[in-house]
Amino acid sequence: MFSDDERAEIESVKGIVQKKLRELLSDLPTDTYPFFKESILTGGCFASLFLDEEVHDWDVYLRDSVTISRFESFVMSDTPTLNEVADVTSGYMTITNVDGKLVTANAITFKNGLQVIVKTNKKHREDFDFIHCMPYFDMKTQQLFISRAQYDCIKRKQLVKNPAHQQTISKHRIEKFISRKWNIGA
């Protein structure tokens, strides 16, 4: 259970997310909107919001592989949408699918910071490496889902492996969080 203050904080974060998503989507052509109907926003943005830190990525996961495939095809064939995709910066090391644009095998990143994950769908959230990355906002129902364990890990800046995650977590990923003053938890 959450206390009244915690519930108020969660509602506040939900309001920020709703406002930010409206802002991010308003930068895109309206023809993209149907792709986001059954999507989720998830990942590190929630830890940043709850800790009052700068959000680095607004990661949206689409419903399924069919939606992902249609979205990728649409972006690459629709000039107004492709014009909203971020440009590759010097020193960028990943192979892009569109010259000069941040369209990769993993994600399509827009100029406004919205990153649409195309490597996998929204079900992938269940297999995230750390518990604190797992809260999500359902764009269809407009609900924010966060468990007690997720909330506590965020507030304590504690790295706790998601029990469903079967792979080894990379040293680079762990070091990234430790450099941001996170602690290794249970």
Side-chain angles (χ1 to χ4, degrees):
M1 280 315 247
F2 291 104
S3 72
D4 290 343
D5 286 346
E6 290 168 337
R7 274 196 293 281
E9 181 184 25
I10 291 167
E11 283 299 318
S12 175
V13 166
K14 176 183 166 184
I16 292 167
V17 166
Q18 287 172 312
K19 181 180 178 192
K20 185 64 177 183
L21 280 172
R22 278 193 299 274
E23 180 184 306
L24 292 170
L25 293 177
S26 73
D27 288 342
L28 303 182
T30 56
D31 290 346
T32 62
Y33 295 179
F35 294 105
F36 298 108
K37 277 187 178 174
E38 294 183 50
S39 301
I40 61 170
L41 173 73
T42 191
C45 68
F46 289 101
S48 298
L49 290 168
F50 279 103
L51 295 170
D52 200 27
E53 297 174 351
E54 179 185 351
V55 175
H56 298 286
D57 298 309
W58 297 95
D59 294 341
V60 170
Y61 285 74
L62 301 175
R63 180 179 69 186
D64 54 30
S65 59
V66 172
T67 306
I68 291 169
S69 180
R70 288 181 182 152
F71 181 74
E72 287 179 298
S73 295
F74 177 80
V75 169
M76 292 199 227
S77 66
D78 185 68
T79 302
T81 304
L82 194 55
N83 286 339
E84 293 304 319
V85 173
D87 295 327
V88 173
T89 56
S90 64
Y92 193 75
M93 301 299 282
T94 302
I95 296 170
T96 59
N97 297 342
V98 176
D99 283 343
K101 294 290 186 177
L102 282 178
V103 177
T104 71
N106 292 333
I108 297 172
T109 305
F110 291 92
K111 292 175 183 175
N112 64 10
L114 179 69
Q115 185 164 275
V116 180
I117 308 303
V118 295
K119 182 179 182 177
T120 186
N121 63 42
K122 69 182 186 179
K123 215 111 158 88
H124 176 68
R125 183 201 69 82
E126 298 167 11
D127 186 44
F128 280 178
D129 52 6
F130 293 115
I131 288 177
H132 76 272
C133 296
M134 296 179 69
Y136 69 99
F137 179 79
D138 186 307
M139 293 167 75
K140 182 177 181 178
T141 65
Q142 297 290 296
Q143 290 182 295
L144 172 58
F145 294 89
I146 185 167
S147 71
R148 177 87 248 175
Q150 293 161 4
Y151 182 87
D152 289 343
C153 284
I154 290 169
K155 297 307 272 186
R156 294 179 187 143
K157 291 186 90 165
Q158 198 168 45
L159 294 177
V160 177
K161 185 178 178 186
N162 171 11
H165 185 77
Q166 298 302 311
Q167 291 114 13
T168 302
I169 300 171
S170 77
K171 184 178 177 184
H172 170 350
R173 182 122 165 102
I174 294 168
E175 288 172 351
K176 175 179 101 169
F177 287 109
I178 290 174
S179 74
R180 294 178 185 170
K181 310 287 187 241
W182 283 71
N183 306 298
I184 296 177

